[in-house]
Amino acid sequence: VKFQRQDSQPQWGVASGQTISPITQSFASHRDLMAVYFADPQHLKTDSNTLEMRDLKLLSPVSDDVQIFCQGLNYASHKEEGGLTGEKGQNLIFSKPASTICGPNDDIVRPNGCELLDYEVELALILKQDLPANSHVDKTNLLDYVGGLTLTNDVSARDFMFGAPMMQWFKGKGQRTFCPTGPILYLLDDSDLELLSNLQLTLSVNGEIKQNATTDQMIFKPEETLTELASFADIKTGDMLLTGTPGGVTLNANFKVGLAILLNFTKDNKRRQKLIKTQESVRYLEPGDQLTLSLKSRDGSLDLGKQINGIRDAA
């Protein structure tokens, strides 16, 4: 975990339950910490004095200078609620700017003009080393490239996403604070391969569970996606891959949504107005709402962190 005590510089520590043992070394980024750990975990030295997590400000354990690759519609339940069924189709890949990253308990800021603010709980994978062009990744070498995992929220402004004829995914998902990350960066050992498909993601809004699924439900597995990414993009050590969200998002993707888009394909303002009208019966995130996200092993024996985020409007 990366944390900050009042009026002090950020530090790294090792979490155990609700306490943190500070790491005595300082690291400029998660890349530097991972390099030391994977060279020899014993090289990380911790202070004998533990701190209570509740007394600290928890920061994103992923530095804000990474590439963020994302997968869309990668759980059958989310694909179906988007009106898509049947064949596997193509892997939907997009990106978010690093400026979306914020701390696990920071407020999510609803931008000016946004009416359809939505959530997407996701497992993110952190690259352990560069992924060379045209690499083939499978289960036998997956952990050569994936060194860590963390909890993220792919926050989305649905009305911004449909703000141009060919869809504004980057703008709709790329606003500041639209990727709360952490609090825990879990560093993988060779024995953790099966853990990647045995994690449970949950998200609740004001105490009501909206999303609850396990990572074995992914359509395109991490090794497939990394192989595809390597065929066209340079992926570097420390970069982050968000692996998709399960069903339960707010967006009500019904027949009227499709008509609103198609019938107004070249009319940006009208299309957005019609889209918003199709969502009148659905309550999107509003200032004062609270999101709670968690990531655990499916049997509950391993707790990989919780996010609690409030929603507020931009100043």
Side-chain angles (χ1 to χ4, degrees), residues 119-122 152-153 201-205 208-213 245 248 285 291-294:
Y119 50 78
E120 294 188 9
V121 62
E122 306 206 12
T152 57
N153 186 355
L201 296 158
T202 60
L203 180 147
S204 64
V205 180
E208 181 182 353
I209 293 178
K210 298 290 188 178
Q211 294 184 285
N212 186 13
T245 198
L285 295 174
L291 298 179
T292 303
L293 292 71
S294 67

Side-chain angles (χ1 to χ4, degrees), residues 193-268:
L193 180 62
E194 295 306 316
L195 178 64
L196 293 176
S197 59
N198 281 283
L199 293 169
Q200 185 158 22
L201 296 158
T202 60
L203 180 147
S204 64
V205 180
N206 301 327
E208 181 182 353
I209 293 178
K210 298 290 188 178
Q211 294 184 285
N212 186 13
T214 51
T215 52
D216 61 330
Q217 298 168 25
M218 288 183 195
I219 298 171
F220 290 92
K221 307 305 182 185
E223 57 271 21
E224 294 179 83
T225 302
L226 289 173
T227 297
E228 183 170 352
L229 281 170
S231 72
F232 67 87
D234 293 335
I235 303 117
K236 302 296 184 182
T237 303
D239 285 349
M240 183 159 63
L241 170 64
L242 277 60
T243 55
T245 198
V249 300
T250 307
L251 179 66
N252 182 12
N254 54 32
F255 181 68
K256 290 182 178 179
V257 171
L259 282 178
I261 295 170
L262 291 174
L263 295 179
N264 301 283
F265 196 68
T266 61
K267 304 169 185 175
D268 293 354

Side-chain angles (χ1 to χ4, degrees), residues 257-295:
V257 171
L259 282 178
I261 295 170
L262 291 174
L263 295 179
N264 301 283
F265 196 68
T266 61
K267 304 169 185 175
D268 293 354
N269 291 332
K270 188 174 181 181
R271 183 179 58 259
R272 186 176 173 195
Q273 291 168 4
K274 291 290 187 180
L275 171 69
I276 292 172
K277 188 170 180 60
T278 69
Q279 302 298 296
E280 287 179 336
S281 63
V282 185
R283 185 187 183 280
Y284 280 78
L285 295 174
E286 298 177 358
D289 286 344
Q290 185 179 84
L291 298 179
T292 303
L293 292 71
S294 67
L295 177 64

Side-chain angles (χ1 to χ4, degrees), residues 1-2 10-13 23-37 43-45 63:
V1 293
K2 191 175 184 180
Q11 295 176 259
W12 291 91
I23 293 173
T24 58
Q25 302 108 305
S26 61
F27 298 100
S29 74
H30 65 292
R31 296 182 191 87
D32 299 332
L33 183 147
M34 291 172 68
V36 170
Y37 178 85
H43 288 165
L44 287 182
K45 305 299 182 183
S63 305

